[in-house]
C-alpha cells in the first residue's frame, strides 16, 4: 500500500485531534507538521511523534505532501488554504473557512478551478446517528419537517478568567459562539433536514464584558489557573450567548440557542426535529442513541447498531452495537471519505463530505445572523 502523505498546519487543540484521527486510517501517513517558528515546530513534532517539521512556506515546498490540514486560528484559514491550493495540495480546512464572504467565495472559486479536493471540518455530521436521521428523513420516515429546536452549550468560557484567542475579533472574527460552535449546529440542521435557512432573527449577549487575559500562555481546555497578578483586563465585544429564530424554505420555523457560559455543559449539541410522522431527538454527549417520538404508539430509543441502522449510517460505524463511538470517530469517518477522493486525485462531482462551498454557506448564515443582532430585525439570507 502506498500511503498518502499529509502535513498538519497548527498544533493547538484541534491539530492533534486531526492527527489522532488520521493515524487511525490505514492509507494515511501524517508525515510532517508546521508551526509559526521552526523551534516550536520541532518541539511539537517530537511531542507528537512526527518525523518532519517546517515553517508553513517550507511545508508547501515538500513535493511528497499531497494534502494539508489547516488547523490554525481563524484569521489564517483563508491565506493558508489559498497558498496550499496554489501549491497543488489538497486541503482540509477547519471552520470557519475564512473571516468574510469575499475570502470564502474566492476560495470556493479557486478550489473549483484547480479541481483539488477541498473539505471543511464539519465533523459533527459524522456521528452515525446524525446520518441515520438524515437517511430516515430522505426515506420519508420523518415526514414533512414541522419545527426544529437546537442548542449547542459549553462551559469553557464560564469564568471571566477563562481566555482564548477566540475572544479576539482580529483573530477569530466578529462572531464567537455562533461562528465557533453555532456553525456546527446550523450545518447539522440543514444536513439532516435538507432545508435551507432563508431568514434569521438574532439576539446576542456578552455576559462577561471584561475578561482577565492571562499574561502567560494557557492552552485551550487545559483547565490551568493562574494568579491574579498574571491577568490583564480586556473588554469583550463578541457573544457569550446567542438566541436565533430561524425560518426555512418549507415555510416552517425553528430556534437555536448557543452558549459558552453554561456550567456543566462541556460540549453538548442537542437537536429536536419534529415532522409530520415522527420526532427525532439527538444529544451529542450521548451520541450512541436517538429518541424517536410517536403520537399513536410508544416512543422509541434507537441504539447505534450496524444491524439496526440504514446502510448509509452503517457505513460510518466501525464497531458493533454497544461498543460506543464518539467525537474522535467523527473526524476519522469524515477523513475516510475525504481521502477516498484524494486517492482518486480530484474533487468528486457530488461529494458526501462538507466542502468549501459548505463552508461558504455557513459563513453566509453567520454573517446574516450578525446583521440581525446588530439591526434587531429579521434578515434574509
Amino acid at each position: 500500500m502506498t500511503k498518502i502523505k499529509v502535513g498538519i498546519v497548527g498544533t493547538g487543540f484541534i491539530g492533534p485531534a486531526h492527527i489522532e484521527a488520521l493515524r487511525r486510517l490505514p492509507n494515511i501517513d501524517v508525515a510532517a507538521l508546521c508551526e509559526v517558528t521552526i523551534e516550536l515546530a520541532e518541539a511539537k513534532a517530537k511531542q507528537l511523534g512526527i518525523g518532519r517539521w517546517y515553517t508553513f512556506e517550507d511545508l508547501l515546498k515538500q513535493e511528497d505532501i499531497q494534502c494539508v490540514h489547516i488547523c490554525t486560528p481563524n484569521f489564517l484559514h483563508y491565506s493558508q488554504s489559498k497558498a496550499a491550493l496554489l501549491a497543488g495540495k489538497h486541503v482540509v480546512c477547519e471552520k470557519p473557512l475564512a473571516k468574510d464572504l469575499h475570502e470564502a467565495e474566492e476560495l470556493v472559486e479557486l478550489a473549483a478551478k484547480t479541481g483539488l479536493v477541498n473539505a471543511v471540518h464539519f465533523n459533527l455530521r459524522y456521528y452515525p446517528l446524525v446520518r441515520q436521521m438524515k437517511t430516515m428523513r430522505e426515506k420519508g420516515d420523518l415526514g414533512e419537517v414541522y419545527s426544529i429546536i437546537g442548542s449547542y452549550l459549553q462551559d469553557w468560557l464560564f469564568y471571566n478568567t477563562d481566555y482564548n484567542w477566540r475572544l479576539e475579533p482580529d483573530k477569530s472574527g466578529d462572531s464567537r459562539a455562533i461562528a465557533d460552535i453555532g456553525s456546527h449546529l446550523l450545518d447539522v440542521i440543514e444536513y439532516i433536514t435538507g432545508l435551507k435557512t432563508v431568514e434569521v432573527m438574532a439576539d446576542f449577549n456578552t455576559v462577561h464584558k471584561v475578561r482577565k487575559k492571562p499574561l502567560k500562555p494557557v492552552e485551550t481546555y487545559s483547565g490551568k489557573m493562574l494568579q491574579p497578578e498574571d491577568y490583564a483586563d480586556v473588554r469583550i465585544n463578541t457573544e457569550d450567548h446567542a438566541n436565533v429564530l430561524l425560518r426555512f424554505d418549507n415555510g416552517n420555523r425553528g430556534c437555536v440557542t448557543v452558549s459558552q457560559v453554561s456550567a456543566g455543559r462541556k460540549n453538548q449539541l442537542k437537536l429536536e426535529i419534529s415532522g409530520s410522522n415522527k420526532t427525532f431527538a439527538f444529544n451529542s454527549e450521548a451520541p450512541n442513541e436517538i429518541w424517536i417520538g410517536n403520537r399513536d404508539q410508544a416512543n422509541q430509543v434507537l441504539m447505534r447498531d450496524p444491524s439496526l441502522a440504514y446502510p448509509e449510517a452503517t457505513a460510518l460505524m466501525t464497531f458493533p452495537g454497544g461498543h460506543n463511538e464518539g467525537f474522535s470517530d467523527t473526524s476519522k469517518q469524515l477523513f475516510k471519505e475525504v481521502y477516498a477522493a484524494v486517492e482518486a486525485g480530484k474533487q468528486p462531482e457530488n461529494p458526501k463530505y462538507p466542502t468549501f462551498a459548505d463552508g461558504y454557506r455557513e459563513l453566509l448564515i453567520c454573517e446574516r445572523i450578525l446583521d440581525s443582532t446588530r439591526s434587531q430585525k429579521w434578515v434574509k439570507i
Side-chain angles (χ1 to χ4, degrees), residues 88-375:
K89 311 296 186 187
H90 305 290
V91 179
V92 177
C93 185
E94 266 301 322
K95 49 79 200 160
L97 178 60
K99 279 187 66 179
D100 62 54
L101 288 172
H102 298 296
E103 289 182 350
E105 186 174 24
E106 183 182 344
L107 288 177
V108 172
E109 291 173 354
L110 178 60
K113 183 179 178 181
T114 63
L116 293 163
V117 172
N118 58 93
V120 176
H121 191 235
F122 283 121
N123 59 305
L124 302 192
R125 290 186 183 192
Y126 282 79
Y127 283 114
L129 293 183
V130 166
R131 187 166 288 184
Q132 173 72 9
M133 289 186 287
K134 171 185 170 64
T135 307
M136 291 176 76
R137 188 269 305 167
E138 291 172 340
K139 293 182 181 295
D141 298 350
L142 177 66
E144 180 190 356
V145 177
Y146 283 171
S147 69
I148 299 168
I149 302 168
S151 63
Y152 202 145
L153 309 179
Q154 296 178 329
D155 71 358
W156 70 287
L157 293 173
F158 180 72
Y159 296 115
N160 69 348
T161 51
D162 291 325
Y163 203 87
N164 183 269
W165 60 263
R166 290 174 177 83
L167 292 154
E168 300 174 3
D170 62 326
K171 297 182 179 69
S172 187
D174 292 335
S175 170
R176 183 195 353 126
I178 283 289
D180 184 22
I181 56 177
S183 57
H184 274 297
L185 177 60
L186 295 162
D187 177 71
V188 163
I189 285 171
E190 292 195 341
Y191 176 71
I192 293 172
T193 66
L195 300 177
K196 293 294 183 185
T197 307
V198 295
E199 204 167 0
V200 294
M201 175 65 166
D203 188 29
F204 285 8
N205 186 30
T206 304
V207 174
H208 296 303
K209 294 176 174 56
V210 175
R211 285 184 180 265
K212 304 287 186 181
K213 181 177 181 178
L215 301 175
K216 300 176 180 178
V218 180
E219 301 239 359
T220 305
Y221 305 121
S222 68
K224 295 177 183 176
M225 299 298 291
L226 305 179
Q227 299 304 310
E229 62 271 18
D230 296 324
Y231 296 99
D233 286 350
V234 174
R235 291 202 63 81
I236 302 298
N237 300 311
T238 54
E239 75 280 7
D240 292 313
H241 179 104
N243 298 310
V244 187
L245 298 176
L246 309 169
R247 291 174 177 167
F248 300 104
D249 58 356
N250 72 342
N252 289 329
R253 307 292 197 266
C255 61
V256 296
T257 295
V258 177
S259 174
Q260 294 177 320
V261 290
S262 295
R265 297 303 187 192
K266 303 305 175 185
N267 189 52
Q268 184 197 69
L269 181 151
K270 286 186 78 173
L271 194 57
E272 188 154 317
I273 303 170
S274 295
S276 56
N277 294 336
K278 299 178 183 295
T279 294
F280 298 155
F282 175 78
N283 173 3
S284 71
E285 288 188 343
N288 287 272
E289 63 182 51
I290 53 173
W291 179 86
I292 301 173
N294 299 296
R295 168 65 187 266
D296 297 321
Q297 65 187 68
N299 297 330
Q300 302 163 278
V301 174
L302 174 65
M303 301 297 292
R304 184 207 56 79
D305 186 329
S307 69
L308 301 177
Y310 282 123
E312 292 88 340
T314 299
L316 301 183
M317 300 180 194
T318 301
F319 300 107
H323 298 74
N324 287 342
E325 294 175 275
F327 176 82
S328 61
D329 300 284
T330 62
S331 295
K332 181 187 77 170
Q333 298 295 349
L334 190 161
F335 297 156
K336 186 169 69 175
E337 292 185 350
V338 168
Y339 279 92
V342 171
E343 202 157 32
K346 63 179 182 178
Q347 186 85 338
E349 190 171 335
N350 294 300
K352 291 181 181 179
Y353 54 83
T355 66
F356 280 14
D358 295 298
Y360 175 87
R361 170 72 185 167
E362 290 314 310
L363 203 61
L364 173 63
I365 296 173
C366 289
E367 289 270 341
R368 297 299 177 258
I369 288 173
L370 265 173
D371 292 342
S372 175
T373 196
R374 287 165 178 161
S375 66

Side-chain angles (χ1 to χ4, degrees), residues 42-115:
E42 180 179 6
K44 289 288 187 177
K46 290 178 177 178
Q47 178 186 334
L48 294 164
I50 294 173
R52 295 155 58 188
W53 52 88
Y54 305 98
T55 58
F56 179 68
E57 293 75 14
D58 285 340
L59 176 68
L60 295 188
K61 294 175 184 175
Q62 307 307 307
E63 293 185 5
D64 63 331
I65 299 295
Q66 294 171 254
C67 185
V68 297
H69 285 234
I70 308 297
C71 303
T72 48
N74 300 355
F75 74 100
L76 293 170
H77 292 179
Y78 161 73
S79 61
Q80 291 180 334
S81 294
K82 180 178 178 179
L85 289 171
L86 291 173
K89 311 296 186 187
H90 305 290
V91 179
V92 177
C93 185
E94 266 301 322
K95 49 79 200 160
L97 178 60
K99 279 187 66 179
D100 62 54
L101 288 172
H102 298 296
E103 289 182 350
E105 186 174 24
E106 183 182 344
L107 288 177
V108 172
E109 291 173 354
L110 178 60
K113 183 179 178 181
T114 63

